[in-house]
mmCIF file of all heavy atoms in Angstrom:
data_model
loop_
_atom_site.group_PDB
_atom_site.id
_atom_site.type_symbol
_atom_site.label_atom_id
_atom_site.label_comp_id
_atom_site.label_asym_id
_atom_site.label_seq_id
_atom_site.Cartn_x
_atom_site.Cartn_y
_atom_site.Cartn_z
ATOM 1 N N ALA A 1 23.613 -9.264 45.151
ATOM 2 C CA ALA A 1 24.951 -9.269 44.572
ATOM 3 C C ALA A 1 25.400 -7.865 44.175
ATOM 4 O O ALA A 1 26.602 -7.558 44.217
ATOM 5 C CB ALA A 1 24.993 -10.192 43.359
ATOM 6 N N ILE A 2 24.465 -7.035 43.781
ATOM 7 C CA ILE A 2 24.823 -5.649 43.425
ATOM 8 C C ILE A 2 25.284 -4.888 44.653
ATOM 9 O O ILE A 2 26.198 -4.055 44.578
ATOM 10 C CB ILE A 2 23.629 -4.951 42.752
ATOM 11 C CG1 ILE A 2 23.357 -5.605 41.392
ATOM 12 C CG2 ILE A 2 23.867 -3.461 42.585
ATOM 13 C CD1 ILE A 2 22.140 -5.069 40.675
ATOM 14 N N GLY A 3 24.674 -5.159 45.798
ATOM 15 C CA GLY A 3 25.146 -4.556 47.032
ATOM 16 C C GLY A 3 24.303 -3.391 47.501
ATOM 17 O O GLY A 3 23.411 -2.912 46.793
ATOM 18 N N PRO A 4 24.584 -2.909 48.718
ATOM 19 C CA PRO A 4 23.759 -1.859 49.318
ATOM 20 C C PRO A 4 23.845 -0.517 48.603
ATOM 21 O O PRO A 4 22.949 0.316 48.750
ATOM 22 C CB PRO A 4 24.309 -1.760 50.750
ATOM 23 C CG PRO A 4 25.708 -2.279 50.648
ATOM 24 C CD PRO A 4 25.673 -3.352 49.602
ATOM 25 N N GLU A 5 24.913 -0.297 47.856
ATOM 26 C CA GLU A 5 25.039 0.978 47.149
ATOM 27 C C GLU A 5 24.146 1.051 45.920
ATOM 28 O O GLU A 5 23.972 2.121 45.333
ATOM 29 C CB GLU A 5 26.496 1.218 46.753
ATOM 30 C CG GLU A 5 27.436 1.360 47.950
ATOM 31 C CD GLU A 5 28.855 1.653 47.524
ATOM 32 O OE1 GLU A 5 29.094 1.696 46.296
ATOM 33 O OE2 GLU A 5 29.711 1.824 48.398
ATOM 34 N N GLY A 6 23.610 -0.088 45.500
ATOM 35 C CA GLY A 6 22.688 -0.100 44.375
ATOM 36 C C GLY A 6 23.333 -0.011 43.020
ATOM 37 O O GLY A 6 22.636 0.182 42.017
ATOM 38 N N GLN A 7 24.649 -0.197 42.961
ATOM 39 C CA GLN A 7 25.339 -0.107 41.671
ATOM 40 C C GLN A 7 26.595 -0.969 41.729
ATOM 41 O O GLN A 7 27.305 -0.996 42.729
ATOM 42 C CB GLN A 7 25.718 1.338 41.348
ATOM 43 C CG GLN A 7 26.200 1.548 39.912
ATOM 44 C CD GLN A 7 26.435 3.018 39.615
ATOM 45 O OE1 GLN A 7 27.154 3.702 40.335
ATOM 46 N NE2 GLN A 7 25.796 3.518 38.556
ATOM 47 N N SER A 8 26.848 -1.670 40.641
ATOM 48 C CA SER A 8 28.006 -2.560 40.612
ATOM 49 C C SER A 8 28.315 -2.924 39.163
ATOM 50 O O SER A 8 27.476 -2.782 38.266
ATOM 51 C CB SER A 8 27.739 -3.825 41.423
ATOM 52 O OG SER A 8 28.805 -4.754 41.298
ATOM 53 N N ARG A 9 29.528 -3.402 38.955
ATOM 54 C CA ARG A 9 29.876 -3.947 37.650
ATOM 55 C C ARG A 9 29.039 -5.197 37.387
ATOM 56 O O ARG A 9 28.703 -5.943 38.309
ATOM 57 C CB ARG A 9 31.360 -4.315 37.602
ATOM 58 C CG ARG A 9 32.318 -3.188 37.923
ATOM 59 C CD ARG A 9 32.466 -2.206 36.799
ATOM 60 N NE ARG A 9 32.906 -2.838 35.557
ATOM 61 C CZ ARG A 9 33.109 -2.149 34.420
ATOM 62 N NH1 ARG A 9 32.878 -0.841 34.396
ATOM 63 N NH2 ARG A 9 33.518 -2.751 33.338
ATOM 64 N N ILE A 10 28.707 -5.444 36.124
ATOM 65 C CA ILE A 10 27.840 -6.572 35.776
ATOM 66 C C ILE A 10 28.563 -7.908 35.951
ATOM 67 O O ILE A 10 27.971 -8.879 36.420
ATOM 68 C CB ILE A 10 27.326 -6.415 34.334
ATOM 69 C CG1 ILE A 10 26.346 -5.244 34.256
ATOM 70 C CG2 ILE A 10 26.649 -7.694 33.854
ATOM 71 C CD1 ILE A 10 25.839 -4.963 32.863
ATOM 72 N N ALA A 11 29.839 -7.977 35.602
ATOM 73 C CA ALA A 11 30.556 -9.253 35.641
ATOM 74 C C ALA A 11 30.559 -9.885 37.038
ATOM 75 O O ALA A 11 30.206 -11.067 37.176
ATOM 76 C CB ALA A 11 31.987 -9.074 35.123
ATOM 77 N N PRO A 12 30.934 -9.168 38.100
ATOM 78 C CA PRO A 12 30.877 -9.806 39.430
ATOM 79 C C PRO A 12 29.456 -10.104 39.895
ATOM 80 O O PRO A 12 29.239 -11.064 40.636
ATOM 81 C CB PRO A 12 31.567 -8.787 40.345
ATOM 82 C CG PRO A 12 31.506 -7.491 39.620
ATOM 83 C CD PRO A 12 31.561 -7.836 38.176
ATOM 84 N N VAL A 13 28.495 -9.298 39.470
ATOM 85 C CA VAL A 13 27.096 -9.576 39.822
ATOM 86 C C VAL A 13 26.659 -10.887 39.189
ATOM 87 O O VAL A 13 26.032 -11.736 39.842
ATOM 88 C CB VAL A 13 26.182 -8.416 39.372
ATOM 89 C CG1 VAL A 13 24.716 -8.790 39.542
ATOM 90 C CG2 VAL A 13 26.500 -7.161 40.157
ATOM 91 N N ARG A 14 26.977 -11.060 37.926
ATOM 92 C CA ARG A 14 26.607 -12.299 37.241
ATOM 93 C C ARG A 14 27.259 -13.509 37.910
ATOM 94 O O ARG A 14 26.626 -14.547 38.111
ATOM 95 C CB ARG A 14 27.013 -12.212 35.775
ATOM 96 C CG ARG A 14 26.778 -13.484 34.981
ATOM 97 C CD ARG A 14 27.040 -13.258 33.502
ATOM 98 N NE ARG A 14 28.309 -12.589 33.261
ATOM 99 C CZ ARG A 14 28.714 -12.145 32.073
ATOM 100 N NH1 ARG A 14 27.917 -12.279 31.024
ATOM 101 N NH2 ARG A 14 29.882 -11.566 31.926
ATOM 102 N N GLN A 15 28.526 -13.385 38.267
ATOM 103 C CA GLN A 15 29.239 -14.489 38.900
ATOM 104 C C GLN A 15 28.648 -14.822 40.264
ATOM 105 O O GLN A 15 28.448 -15.991 40.596
ATOM 106 C CB GLN A 15 30.719 -14.129 39.048
ATOM 107 C CG GLN A 15 31.569 -15.232 39.646
ATOM 108 C CD GLN A 15 33.031 -14.852 39.709
ATOM 109 O OE1 GLN A 15 33.420 -13.744 39.333
ATOM 110 N NE2 GLN A 15 33.854 -15.758 40.183
ATOM 111 N N SER A 16 28.351 -13.797 41.049
ATOM 112 C CA SER A 16 27.796 -14.024 42.383
ATOM 113 C C SER A 16 26.386 -14.598 42.311
ATOM 114 O O SER A 16 26.037 -15.534 43.044
ATOM 115 C CB SER A 16 27.795 -12.713 43.170
ATOM 116 O OG SER A 16 27.213 -12.890 44.444
ATOM 117 N N ALA A 17 25.558 -14.067 41.412
ATOM 118 C CA ALA A 17 24.188 -14.558 41.274
ATOM 119 C C ALA A 17 24.165 -15.996 40.763
ATOM 120 O O ALA A 17 23.299 -16.792 41.142
ATOM 121 C CB ALA A 17 23.394 -13.643 40.343
ATOM 122 N N ALA A 18 25.109 -16.354 39.890
ATOM 123 C CA ALA A 18 25.156 -17.720 39.370
ATOM 124 C C ALA A 18 25.488 -18.735 40.464
ATOM 125 O O ALA A 18 25.112 -19.905 40.358
ATOM 126 C CB ALA A 18 26.178 -17.810 38.242
ATOM 127 N N ALA A 19 26.185 -18.294 41.495
ATOM 128 C CA ALA A 19 26.559 -19.193 42.587
ATOM 129 C C ALA A 19 25.581 -19.145 43.751
ATOM 130 O O ALA A 19 25.840 -19.753 44.794
ATOM 131 C CB ALA A 19 27.965 -18.839 43.080
ATOM 132 N N ALA A 20 24.467 -18.468 43.592
ATOM 133 C CA ALA A 20 23.515 -18.296 44.686
ATOM 134 C C ALA A 20 22.800 -19.608 45.009
ATOM 135 O O ALA A 20 22.704 -20.515 44.170
ATOM 136 C CB ALA A 20 22.489 -17.222 44.324
ATOM 137 N N GLU A 21 22.283 -19.679 46.217
ATOM 138 C CA GLU A 21 21.571 -20.878 46.664
ATOM 139 C C GLU A 21 20.331 -21.150 45.822
ATOM 140 O O GLU A 21 19.972 -22.300 45.572
ATOM 141 C CB GLU A 21 21.178 -20.711 48.130
ATOM 142 C CG GLU A 21 20.427 -21.887 48.718
ATOM 143 C CD GLU A 21 21.258 -23.162 48.743
ATOM 144 O OE1 GLU A 21 22.503 -23.056 48.757
ATOM 145 O OE2 GLU A 21 20.656 -24.256 48.744
ATOM 146 N N SER A 22 19.663 -20.089 45.362
ATOM 147 C CA SER A 22 18.463 -20.275 44.553
ATOM 148 C C SER A 22 18.766 -20.998 43.248
ATOM 149 O O SER A 22 17.966 -21.815 42.778
ATOM 150 C CB SER A 22 17.824 -18.915 44.259
ATOM 151 O OG SER A 22 18.753 -18.047 43.630
ATOM 152 N N VAL A 23 19.930 -20.730 42.669
ATOM 153 C CA VAL A 23 20.312 -21.420 41.438
ATOM 154 C C VAL A 23 20.655 -22.876 41.724
ATOM 155 O O VAL A 23 20.301 -23.777 40.949
ATOM 156 C CB VAL A 23 21.498 -20.693 40.763
ATOM 157 C CG1 VAL A 23 21.933 -21.437 39.509
ATOM 158 C CG2 VAL A 23 21.114 -19.266 40.413
ATOM 159 N N ARG A 24 21.328 -23.124 42.846
ATOM 160 C CA ARG A 24 21.638 -24.517 43.203
ATOM 161 C C ARG A 24 20.366 -25.323 43.446
ATOM 162 O O ARG A 24 20.272 -26.487 43.061
ATOM 163 C CB ARG A 24 22.540 -24.545 44.443
ATOM 164 C CG ARG A 24 23.972 -24.102 44.177
ATOM 165 C CD ARG A 24 24.871 -24.455 45.344
ATOM 166 N NE ARG A 24 24.558 -23.661 46.515
ATOM 167 C CZ ARG A 24 25.124 -22.498 46.801
ATOM 168 N NH1 ARG A 24 26.025 -21.980 45.961
ATOM 169 N NH2 ARG A 24 24.813 -21.834 47.898
ATOM 170 N N GLN A 25 19.388 -24.711 44.087
ATOM 171 C CA GLN A 25 18.118 -25.407 44.303
ATOM 172 C C GLN A 25 17.411 -25.682 42.981
ATOM 173 O O GLN A 25 16.814 -26.741 42.796
ATOM 174 C CB GLN A 25 17.233 -24.576 45.227
ATOM 175 C CG GLN A 25 17.753 -24.471 46.649
ATOM 176 C CD GLN A 25 16.911 -23.563 47.518
ATOM 177 O OE1 GLN A 25 15.957 -22.932 47.044
ATOM 178 N NE2 GLN A 25 17.245 -23.472 48.796
ATOM 179 N N LEU A 26 17.480 -24.728 42.055
ATOM 180 C CA LEU A 26 16.898 -24.937 40.729
ATOM 181 C C LEU A 26 17.569 -26.117 40.032
ATOM 182 O O LEU A 26 16.894 -26.972 39.436
ATOM 183 C CB LEU A 26 17.058 -23.665 39.892
ATOM 184 C CG LEU A 26 16.673 -23.766 38.414
ATOM 185 C CD1 LEU A 26 15.169 -23.997 38.270
ATOM 186 C CD2 LEU A 26 17.081 -22.490 37.667
ATOM 187 N N ALA A 27 18.900 -26.188 40.119
ATOM 188 C CA ALA A 27 19.633 -27.290 39.510
ATOM 189 C C ALA A 27 19.224 -28.626 40.133
ATOM 190 O O ALA A 27 19.025 -29.614 39.415
ATOM 191 C CB ALA A 27 21.132 -27.068 39.663
ATOM 192 N N ASP A 28 19.085 -28.658 41.447
ATOM 193 C CA ASP A 28 18.698 -29.905 42.120
ATOM 194 C C ASP A 28 17.314 -30.367 41.673
ATOM 195 O O ASP A 28 17.083 -31.565 41.467
ATOM 196 C CB ASP A 28 18.716 -29.703 43.636
ATOM 197 C CG ASP A 28 20.126 -29.509 44.183
ATOM 198 O OD1 ASP A 28 21.082 -29.884 43.484
ATOM 199 O OD2 ASP A 28 20.259 -28.967 45.296
ATOM 200 N N ARG A 29 16.399 -29.416 41.511
ATOM 201 C CA ARG A 29 15.044 -29.796 41.072
ATOM 202 C C ARG A 29 15.074 -30.360 39.653
ATOM 203 O O ARG A 29 14.372 -31.338 39.353
ATOM 204 C CB ARG A 29 14.114 -28.581 41.145
ATOM 205 C CG ARG A 29 13.790 -28.133 42.571
ATOM 206 C CD ARG A 29 12.604 -27.183 42.577
ATOM 207 N NE ARG A 29 12.851 -25.966 41.806
ATOM 208 C CZ ARG A 29 13.377 -24.851 42.307
ATOM 209 N NH1 ARG A 29 13.722 -24.803 43.593
ATOM 210 N NH2 ARG A 29 13.551 -23.783 41.553
ATOM 211 N N LEU A 30 15.857 -29.763 38.796
ATOM 212 C CA LEU A 30 15.931 -30.245 37.415
ATOM 213 C C LEU A 30 16.590 -31.614 37.333
ATOM 214 O O LEU A 30 16.189 -32.467 36.535
ATOM 215 C CB LEU A 30 16.696 -29.226 36.555
ATOM 216 C CG LEU A 30 15.959 -27.914 36.277
ATOM 217 C CD1 LEU A 30 16.886 -26.913 35.593
ATOM 218 C CD2 LEU A 30 14.725 -28.153 35.417
ATOM 219 N N VAL A 31 17.618 -31.826 38.154
ATOM 220 C CA VAL A 31 18.256 -33.142 38.179
ATOM 221 C C VAL A 31 17.282 -34.196 38.686
ATOM 222 O O VAL A 31 17.166 -35.295 38.136
ATOM 223 C CB VAL A 31 19.529 -33.101 39.059
ATOM 224 C CG1 VAL A 31 20.062 -34.518 39.289
ATOM 225 C CG2 VAL A 31 20.599 -32.240 38.396
ATOM 226 N N ALA A 32 16.547 -33.859 39.743
ATOM 227 C CA ALA A 32 15.576 -34.806 40.297
ATOM 228 C C ALA A 32 14.473 -35.128 39.298
ATOM 229 O O ALA A 32 13.933 -36.242 39.298
ATOM 230 C CB ALA A 32 14.970 -34.235 41.583
ATOM 231 N N ALA A 33 14.126 -34.181 38.446
ATOM 232 C CA ALA A 33 13.092 -34.407 37.432
ATOM 233 C C ALA A 33 13.630 -35.115 36.197
ATOM 234 O O ALA A 33 12.871 -35.412 35.271
ATOM 235 C CB ALA A 33 12.460 -33.072 37.033
ATOM 236 N N GLY A 34 14.942 -35.377 36.161
ATOM 237 C CA GLY A 34 15.523 -36.046 35.004
ATOM 238 C C GLY A 34 15.754 -35.136 33.815
ATOM 239 O O GLY A 34 15.976 -35.614 32.701
ATOM 240 N N LEU A 35 15.719 -33.822 34.021
ATOM 241 C CA LEU A 35 15.876 -32.870 32.919
ATOM 242 C C LEU A 35 17.284 -32.313 32.801
ATOM 243 O O LEU A 35 17.678 -31.842 31.735
ATOM 244 C CB LEU A 35 14.884 -31.709 33.090
ATOM 245 C CG LEU A 35 13.407 -32.107 33.127
ATOM 246 C CD1 LEU A 35 12.541 -30.875 33.374
ATOM 247 C CD2 LEU A 35 13.006 -32.806 31.838
ATOM 248 N N ALA A 36 18.045 -32.348 33.892
ATOM 249 C CA ALA A 36 19.407 -31.832 33.890
ATOM 250 C C ALA A 36 20.381 -32.957 34.188
ATOM 251 O O ALA A 36 20.030 -33.960 34.819
ATOM 252 C CB ALA A 36 19.565 -30.703 34.920
ATOM 253 N N VAL A 37 21.611 -32.783 33.735
ATOM 254 C CA VAL A 37 22.653 -33.780 33.957
ATOM 255 C C VAL A 37 23.257 -33.552 35.337
ATOM 256 O O VAL A 37 23.611 -32.423 35.678
ATOM 257 C CB VAL A 37 23.745 -33.658 32.871
ATOM 258 C CG1 VAL A 37 24.834 -34.693 33.086
ATOM 259 C CG2 VAL A 37 23.128 -33.801 31.490
ATOM 260 N N PRO A 38 23.401 -34.591 36.161
ATOM 261 C CA PRO A 38 24.019 -34.416 37.481
ATOM 262 C C PRO A 38 25.443 -33.902 37.372
ATOM 263 O O PRO A 38 26.108 -34.048 36.341
ATOM 264 C CB PRO A 38 23.987 -35.832 38.075
ATOM 265 C CG PRO A 38 22.919 -36.544 37.316
ATOM 266 C CD PRO A 38 22.929 -35.963 35.937
ATOM 267 N N ASP A 39 25.914 -33.310 38.460
ATOM 268 C CA ASP A 39 27.249 -32.706 38.462
ATOM 269 C C ASP A 39 28.327 -33.693 38.052
ATOM 270 O O ASP A 39 29.229 -33.361 37.296
ATOM 271 C CB ASP A 39 27.582 -32.170 39.864
ATOM 272 C CG ASP A 39 26.832 -30.882 40.161
ATOM 273 O OD1 ASP A 39 26.500 -30.171 39.206
ATOM 274 O OD2 ASP A 39 26.579 -30.599 41.346
ATOM 275 N N GLY A 40 28.242 -34.917 38.529
ATOM 276 C CA GLY A 40 29.290 -35.879 38.259
ATOM 277 C C GLY A 40 29.426 -36.257 36.801
ATOM 278 O O GLY A 40 30.481 -36.718 36.371
ATOM 279 N N THR A 41 28.369 -36.065 36.001
ATOM 280 C CA THR A 41 28.416 -36.459 34.591
ATOM 281 C C THR A 41 28.147 -35.289 33.668
ATOM 282 O O THR A 41 27.863 -35.470 32.499
ATOM 283 C CB THR A 41 27.370 -37.560 34.307
ATOM 284 O OG1 THR A 41 26.075 -37.055 34.645
ATOM 285 C CG2 THR A 41 27.657 -38.800 35.122
ATOM 286 N N ARG A 42 28.260 -34.057 34.196
ATOM 287 C CA ARG A 42 27.811 -32.903 33.427
ATOM 288 C C ARG A 42 28.590 -32.704 32.131
ATOM 289 O O ARG A 42 28.043 -32.325 31.124
ATOM 290 C CB ARG A 42 27.904 -31.647 34.304
ATOM 291 C CG ARG A 42 27.395 -30.396 33.648
ATOM 292 C CD ARG A 42 26.903 -29.414 34.676
ATOM 293 N NE ARG A 42 25.656 -29.855 35.268
ATOM 294 C CZ ARG A 42 25.252 -29.511 36.481
ATOM 295 N NH1 ARG A 42 26.002 -28.758 37.248
ATOM 296 N NH2 ARG A 42 24.095 -29.949 36.942
#
């Protein structure tokens, strides 16, 4: 998210990293384990 230049504003980095596939997979694992609330009832 920071990019090839190695420097970026923090706000867009945080937004891009929060939408990454790794975070979505983490959410799916937590929902499957019964620890997180599914999207429809969040």
Side-chain angles (χ1 to χ4, degrees):
I2 293 176
E5 296 182 358
Q7 191 175 53
S8 174
R9 304 284 303 180
I10 291 177
V13 171
R14 175 173 49 187
Q15 182 177 2
S16 178
E21 180 63 25
S22 56
V23 178
R24 287 193 291 269
Q25 292 176 356
L26 172 67
D28 291 341
R29 290 195 299 270
L30 289 172
V31 170
L35 301 177
V37 180
D39 285 333
T41 59
R42 183 153 288 154

